[in-house]
Amino acid sequence: MRNWFKANRSQLGLTGLAFGVLLLLIVMVLMAKPVAAAPQSQDEQPTDESCLACHQQEGMTAQVGGEPLPVTIDPEKFSASVHGTEDIACVDCHTNITGFPHPEVTASSRRDFTMELYPTCQECHLEQYEKTLDSVHQRAIAAGNTNAAVCTDCHNPHTQPRLTDESTGELLPEARVAVPQTCAQCHSTIYETYSDSVHGAALQDGNQDVPTCINCHGVHNIGDPTSNSFRNSVPALCADCHTDETLMKQYGLSTNV
């Protein structure tokens, strides 16, 4: 036996060394701390997909000051809207939403909720927003009439289609036709009068030459139509079209008015 150990001493040494190295590796692995997964950023914003996972459910409402507020969003309509096509995310407008549950709504009514949110529009539409500050609508709000129109009363942010041609900036034909219906949400009686007029009837027939509400009253900086300044400007407003010889000739009308 002694002779066998002498003959195999070198082989036994190598085997022992290998075993020792293996044992050391096992100990090191067991003692090593597990590598933690990278934590999710606390600043990560909810995606549109995560928002719509809840908000595409039909009939979904939230209580605002005891009033039910519809909060269902149609994904297809939003995707087709100008905000959807421009990749405006939900949290770009709803900046206080960072996760679920959402912050408590403190508005006392649905209208107060609208009044709190609509100034967000100026983040992208500052020029238009600043014009509204000099409008008859804004003056009514300043006087305490919170039912006067704000941005989102005319432009539903979740369904608003594109209004102007991207290359020319001109109002699209379908947008022109929709203008009176938009104003009719508040001014229904005047809308009926306009619809029965030669201008309104022609517009409904698809005539793009006739004036709509905004041609006479402006768009965002709408003036007070009962003011003396507006009344004095009426002849010039009419003259914009009725002194255009090329335009009037198409309809057999004289510019000598």
Side-chain angles (χ1 to χ4, degrees):
M1 179 66 72
R2 183 179 298 174
N3 292 334
W4 185 88
F5 275 110
K6 287 182 178 181
N8 294 279
R9 181 180 298 171
S10 60
Q11 184 176 353
L12 289 172
L14 291 174
T15 302
L17 179 62
F19 180 77
V21 171
L22 178 61
L23 182 61
L24 178 61
L25 289 173
I26 292 173
V27 171
M28 290 175 65
V29 169
L30 292 175
M31 293 181 65
K33 293 182 179 179
V35 178
Q40 186 175 6
S41 171
Q42 296 299 311
D43 296 329
E44 186 175 343
Q45 295 291 322
T47 64
D48 286 359
E49 289 73 19
S50 62
C51 295
L52 290 170
C54 291
H55 285 280
Q56 66 179 325
Q57 299 178 49
E58 292 187 10
M60 191 176 186
T61 61
Q63 290 296 313
V64 178
E67 300 176 74
L69 173 70
V71 292
T72 297
I73 304 300
D74 186 321
E76 292 185 1
K77 289 183 178 179
F78 178 73
S79 295
S81 73
V82 65
H83 286 158
T85 57
E86 293 290 340
D87 294 326
I88 303 300
C90 304
V91 293
D92 288 334
C93 298
H94 300 280
T95 55
N96 65 324
I97 303 298
T98 58
F100 187 84
H102 300 328
E104 181 183 359
V105 176
T106 58
S108 59
S109 67
R110 286 177 53 175
R111 190 58 184 172
D112 283 346
F113 185 65
T114 296
M115 299 303 287
E116 289 179 4
L117 280 184
Y118 90 87
T120 304
C121 300
Q122 67 182 301
E123 296 299 323
C124 295
H125 306 286
L126 182 60
E127 180 183 352
Q128 291 82 0
Y129 179 83
E130 288 184 339
K131 285 183 178 180
T132 68
L133 300 180
D134 193 35
S135 70
V136 64
H137 292 145
Q138 193 64 38
R139 287 196 291 275
I141 291 172
N145 181 6
T146 57
N147 288 321
V150 296
C151 310
T152 53
D153 292 317
C154 301
H155 307 287
N156 186 320
H158 301 117
T159 60
Q160 177 64 58
R162 184 175 295 281
L163 296 176
T164 56
D165 186 287
E166 292 185 79
S167 58
T168 66
E170 295 293 324
L171 201 63
L172 293 169
E174 58 270 26
R176 279 183 57 83
V177 173
V179 167
Q181 285 88 353
T182 299
C183 299
Q185 293 177 99
C186 296
H187 305 286
S188 57
T189 302
I190 297 174
Y191 169 74
E192 291 175 3
T193 301
Y194 171 80
S195 296
D196 291 336
S197 73
V198 63
H199 292 151
L203 182 68
Q204 293 175 52
D205 288 338
N207 189 318
Q208 292 291 306
D209 290 333
V210 295
T212 68
C213 313
I214 61 175
N215 293 108
C216 300
H217 296 282
V219 185
H220 298 103
N221 54 344
I222 299 169
D224 182 354
T226 65
S227 66
N228 289 334
S229 59
F230 181 83
R231 292 177 183 276
N232 290 334
S233 71
V234 168
L237 288 174
C238 298
D240 284 343
C241 294
H242 287 276
T243 58
D244 185 329
E245 292 186 3
T246 302
L247 181 61
M248 292 300 102
K249 187 176 181 179
Q250 295 181 40
Y251 302 99
L253 298 175
S254 172
T255 58
N256 188 23
V257 292

